[in-house]
Amino acid sequence: MQYVPNIRIVEMPCSGTIDHRVLLQAFEDGADGVFVAGCMEGDCHFQKGNYRARKRVNAVKKLLDEIGLGGERLEMYNLSAAMGPRFAEIANEMTERVRRLGPSPLKKQSAGTMEKEGDVA
Amino acid sequence: MIIAQQKPIKDIAEMIADCKKVLLVGCAGCVTVCLAGGEKETEILAAALRIMRRLQDNPLETVTYVATRQCDPEYIATMDNLVKDVDAIISLACGVGVQYIAERYHDKWVVPALDTKFIGGSKVHGVWEEKCGLCGDCVLHRTGGICPIIRCSKSILNGPCGGSQYGKCEISKDVDCAWQLIYDRMKALGRLDKLMEIQPPKDWSKSRDGGPRKAIREDVMIG
Ligand code: SF4
Ligand code: SF4
């Protein structure tokens, strides 16, 4: 599977463990964009982890809009661990979006990393 | 518990616009349970304010702390060391906490991050509802365990009023008529006669109408 090299993967036991603080920290640490990759809807081992993740991602998107960083820099996707090509597609899609938005204004020197949180390795 | 909700972040940022370093103080009491001002919310607010200020090229330094309860001055005292070099303190407690902090630290700019809404409970996770109007002279034993003071939009004591329709209050079809609920419950309990008892006018001096209130228990006072 091939995808853009500028992504740092942060593995979580379940996308449902995603916390507003982790997402904000990624941006504070200089991420230009963050995407959360949860399992397919209906496929969560913990029943509703990915639904909860989506709600939190949406709440943080709204907060990012309010504080001026822009909710577009954050997105939630659903895919299974077996969907390698789809992962690559999402990674490229998100990278494109972030390129269009430009580097994060929070970053002093642009290192060009994008962070991803999720349970898809 | 006391139910509070966070103010719009822009309003909070505005209150501390001229500060370089602030202390954000959460409370482990009610506002932790209603998810407005616990440890998590305190850290989220701190991060959001920092990001906002970095975007304005005017960085903000934050320190966070969570008091066991901000409505007990002894727990406020535990943060003496933290307040020394900050320009402002943002309290994420109810209005009680904000006031105790302001009382202890006279020379500090103390601001509220929350709007204190009401006394209530959580109907389901994420939904809180008002249940008690703090009238100071509870009448729930006469009203089937349903509060007419706060759940009746007019706080009437001899309802329902003429606006009650199909069990709903005239202010909205989403609001139950408290007096319909009271009537139904008393009927089910076989105690409708209780509703017929003549009551003297309610003594509102025991409520807010009598000015700020105090509760005193001499037997537990120290010293
Ligand atoms: S300060 Fe307010 S929110 Fe905190 S425990 Fe006391 S009453 Fe509840
Ligand atoms: S009657 Fe008074 S004390 Fe009792 S629940 Fe209603 S407002 Fe609260």
Side-chain angles (χ1 to χ4, degrees), chain A residues 63-81:
Chain A
L63 180 62
L64 291 174
D65 277 335
E66 282 167 10
I67 62 182
L69 193 58
E72 271 184 293
R73 291 187 182 272
L74 173 64
E75 206 51 73
M76 167 93 195
Y77 289 95
N78 295 93
L79 71 166
S80 87

mmCIF file of all heavy atoms in Angstrom, chain A residues 63-81:
data_model
loop_
_atom_site.group_PDB
_atom_site.id
_atom_site.type_symbol
_atom_site.label_atom_id
_atom_site.label_comp_id
_atom_site.label_asym_id
_atom_site.label_seq_id
_atom_site.Cartn_x
_atom_site.Cartn_y
_atom_site.Cartn_z
ATOM 1 N N LEU A 63 -15.219 23.570 17.351
ATOM 2 C CA LEU A 63 -14.342 24.387 18.197
ATOM 3 C C LEU A 63 -13.224 25.018 17.362
ATOM 4 O O LEU A 63 -12.899 26.201 17.521
ATOM 5 C CB LEU A 63 -13.758 23.516 19.324
ATOM 6 C CG LEU A 63 -12.805 24.196 20.308
ATOM 7 C CD1 LEU A 63 -13.521 25.314 21.063
ATOM 8 C CD2 LEU A 63 -12.254 23.185 21.320
ATOM 9 N N LEU A 64 -12.663 24.226 16.434
ATOM 10 C CA LEU A 64 -11.576 24.761 15.593
ATOM 11 C C LEU A 64 -12.074 25.929 14.744
ATOM 12 O O LEU A 64 -11.348 26.899 14.505
ATOM 13 C CB LEU A 64 -11.007 23.664 14.689
ATOM 14 C CG LEU A 64 -10.228 22.546 15.396
ATOM 15 C CD1 LEU A 64 -9.847 21.448 14.408
ATOM 16 C CD2 LEU A 64 -8.975 23.083 16.089
ATOM 17 N N ASP A 65 -13.323 25.832 14.306
ATOM 18 C CA ASP A 65 -13.911 26.960 13.560
ATOM 19 C C ASP A 65 -14.012 28.183 14.468
ATOM 20 O O ASP A 65 -13.672 29.295 14.069
ATOM 21 C CB ASP A 65 -15.315 26.592 13.049
ATOM 22 C CG ASP A 65 -15.261 25.807 11.739
ATOM 23 O OD1 ASP A 65 -14.260 25.968 11.007
ATOM 24 O OD2 ASP A 65 -16.196 25.043 11.463
ATOM 25 N N GLU A 66 -14.470 27.942 15.696
ATOM 26 C CA GLU A 66 -14.670 29.057 16.627
ATOM 27 C C GLU A 66 -13.362 29.758 16.977
ATOM 28 O O GLU A 66 -13.329 30.962 17.183
ATOM 29 C CB GLU A 66 -15.344 28.561 17.913
ATOM 30 C CG GLU A 66 -16.837 28.333 17.760
ATOM 31 C CD GLU A 66 -17.432 27.545 18.920
ATOM 32 O OE1 GLU A 66 -16.745 27.340 19.934
ATOM 33 O OE2 GLU A 66 -18.585 27.129 18.796
ATOM 34 N N ILE A 67 -12.294 28.969 17.105
ATOM 35 C CA ILE A 67 -11.045 29.590 17.534
ATOM 36 C C ILE A 67 -10.181 30.029 16.349
ATOM 37 O O ILE A 67 -9.078 30.536 16.541
ATOM 38 C CB ILE A 67 -10.236 28.684 18.496
ATOM 39 C CG1 ILE A 67 -9.820 27.377 17.828
ATOM 40 C CG2 ILE A 67 -11.042 28.418 19.754
ATOM 41 C CD1 ILE A 67 -9.059 26.445 18.757
ATOM 42 N N GLY A 68 -10.680 29.822 15.152
ATOM 43 C CA GLY A 68 -10.007 30.411 13.999
ATOM 44 C C GLY A 68 -9.014 29.518 13.272
ATOM 45 O O GLY A 68 -8.386 29.955 12.319
ATOM 46 N N LEU A 69 -8.849 28.268 13.731
ATOM 47 C CA LEU A 69 -7.908 27.396 13.026
ATOM 48 C C LEU A 69 -8.610 26.720 11.840
ATOM 49 O O LEU A 69 -7.974 26.392 10.842
ATOM 50 C CB LEU A 69 -7.337 26.335 13.988
ATOM 51 C CG LEU A 69 -6.128 25.548 13.487
ATOM 52 C CD1 LEU A 69 -4.971 26.474 13.143
ATOM 53 C CD2 LEU A 69 -5.682 24.522 14.517
ATOM 54 N N GLY A 70 -9.906 26.530 11.969
ATOM 55 C CA GLY A 70 -10.686 25.972 10.857
ATOM 56 C C GLY A 70 -10.925 24.475 10.999
ATOM 57 O O GLY A 70 -9.971 23.684 11.043
ATOM 58 N N GLY A 71 -12.203 24.108 11.078
ATOM 59 C CA GLY A 71 -12.582 22.710 11.255
ATOM 60 C C GLY A 71 -12.218 21.811 10.080
ATOM 61 O O GLY A 71 -12.156 20.591 10.206
ATOM 62 N N GLU A 72 -11.936 22.425 8.926
ATOM 63 C CA GLU A 72 -11.600 21.617 7.750
ATOM 64 C C GLU A 72 -10.300 20.840 7.915
ATOM 65 O O GLU A 72 -10.035 19.891 7.190
ATOM 66 C CB GLU A 72 -11.404 22.547 6.548
ATOM 67 C CG GLU A 72 -12.652 22.845 5.771
ATOM 68 C CD GLU A 72 -12.299 23.696 4.569
ATOM 69 O OE1 GLU A 72 -11.885 24.850 4.778
ATOM 70 O OE2 GLU A 72 -12.413 23.198 3.441
ATOM 71 N N ARG A 73 -9.500 21.271 8.860
ATOM 72 C CA ARG A 73 -8.218 20.590 9.062
ATOM 73 C C ARG A 73 -8.367 19.260 9.796
ATOM 74 O O ARG A 73 -7.388 18.544 10.002
ATOM 75 C CB ARG A 73 -7.260 21.497 9.856
ATOM 76 C CG ARG A 73 -6.810 22.691 9.061
ATOM 77 C CD ARG A 73 -5.752 23.486 9.779
ATOM 78 N NE ARG A 73 -5.394 24.659 8.993
ATOM 79 C CZ ARG A 73 -4.449 24.646 8.049
ATOM 80 N NH1 ARG A 73 -3.758 23.557 7.805
ATOM 81 N NH2 ARG A 73 -4.195 25.740 7.364
ATOM 82 N N LEU A 74 -9.585 18.974 10.209
ATOM 83 C CA LEU A 74 -9.836 17.732 10.945
ATOM 84 C C LEU A 74 -10.946 16.967 10.239
ATOM 85 O O LEU A 74 -11.928 17.559 9.796
ATOM 86 C CB LEU A 74 -10.263 18.088 12.380
ATOM 87 C CG LEU A 74 -10.740 16.949 13.280
ATOM 88 C CD1 LEU A 74 -9.613 15.949 13.533
ATOM 89 C CD2 LEU A 74 -11.246 17.511 14.610
ATOM 90 N N GLU A 75 -10.787 15.664 10.124
ATOM 91 C CA GLU A 75 -11.855 14.868 9.493
ATOM 92 C C GLU A 75 -11.909 13.471 10.077
ATOM 93 O O GLU A 75 -10.928 12.966 10.609
ATOM 94 C CB GLU A 75 -11.603 14.794 7.973
ATOM 95 C CG GLU A 75 -12.854 14.589 7.143
ATOM 96 C CD GLU A 75 -13.951 15.596 7.480
ATOM 97 O OE1 GLU A 75 -13.833 16.789 7.112
ATOM 98 O OE2 GLU A 75 -14.927 15.196 8.132
ATOM 99 N N MET A 76 -13.072 12.887 10.000
ATOM 100 C CA MET A 76 -13.262 11.502 10.455
ATOM 101 C C MET A 76 -13.592 10.633 9.250
ATOM 102 O O MET A 76 -14.398 11.026 8.391
ATOM 103 C CB MET A 76 -14.426 11.477 11.445
ATOM 104 C CG MET A 76 -14.961 10.098 11.783
ATOM 105 S SD MET A 76 -14.189 9.415 13.257
ATOM 106 C CE MET A 76 -14.663 7.687 13.102
ATOM 107 N N TYR A 77 -12.944 9.489 9.161
ATOM 108 C CA TYR A 77 -13.250 8.541 8.098
ATOM 109 C C TYR A 77 -13.541 7.177 8.697
ATOM 110 O O TYR A 77 -13.054 6.862 9.779
ATOM 111 C CB TYR A 77 -12.045 8.394 7.151
ATOM 112 C CG TYR A 77 -11.780 9.605 6.291
ATOM 113 C CD1 TYR A 77 -10.847 10.562 6.691
ATOM 114 C CD2 TYR A 77 -12.439 9.783 5.080
ATOM 115 C CE1 TYR A 77 -10.590 11.674 5.905
ATOM 116 C CE2 TYR A 77 -12.185 10.892 4.279
ATOM 117 C CZ TYR A 77 -11.258 11.835 4.704
ATOM 118 O OH TYR A 77 -11.004 12.923 3.917
ATOM 119 N N ASN A 78 -14.324 6.394 7.997
ATOM 120 C CA ASN A 78 -14.581 5.023 8.439
ATOM 121 C C ASN A 78 -14.065 4.058 7.382
ATOM 122 O O ASN A 78 -14.423 4.175 6.208
ATOM 123 C CB ASN A 78 -16.090 4.789 8.627
ATOM 124 C CG ASN A 78 -16.653 5.639 9.742
ATOM 125 O OD1 ASN A 78 -17.148 6.741 9.516
ATOM 126 N ND2 ASN A 78 -16.541 5.155 10.956
ATOM 127 N N LEU A 79 -13.230 3.131 7.822
ATOM 128 C CA LEU A 79 -12.738 2.097 6.912
ATOM 129 C C LEU A 79 -12.257 0.928 7.738
ATOM 130 O O LEU A 79 -12.001 1.096 8.940
ATOM 131 C CB LEU A 79 -11.607 2.631 6.023
ATOM 132 C CG LEU A 79 -10.246 2.912 6.653
ATOM 133 C CD1 LEU A 79 -9.215 3.098 5.563
ATOM 134 C CD2 LEU A 79 -10.267 4.162 7.502
ATOM 135 N N SER A 80 -12.161 -0.237 7.138
ATOM 136 C CA SER A 80 -11.724 -1.382 7.929
ATOM 137 C C SER A 80 -10.219 -1.566 7.779
ATOM 138 O O SER A 80 -9.598 -1.030 6.859
ATOM 139 C CB SER A 80 -12.453 -2.655 7.487
ATOM 140 O OG SER A 80 -11.746 -3.250 6.420
ATOM 141 N N ALA A 81 -9.654 -2.347 8.701
ATOM 142 C CA ALA A 81 -8.212 -2.564 8.697
ATOM 143 C C ALA A 81 -7.770 -3.292 7.429
ATOM 144 O O ALA A 81 -6.610 -3.279 7.059
ATOM 145 C CB ALA A 81 -7.814 -3.374 9.936
#
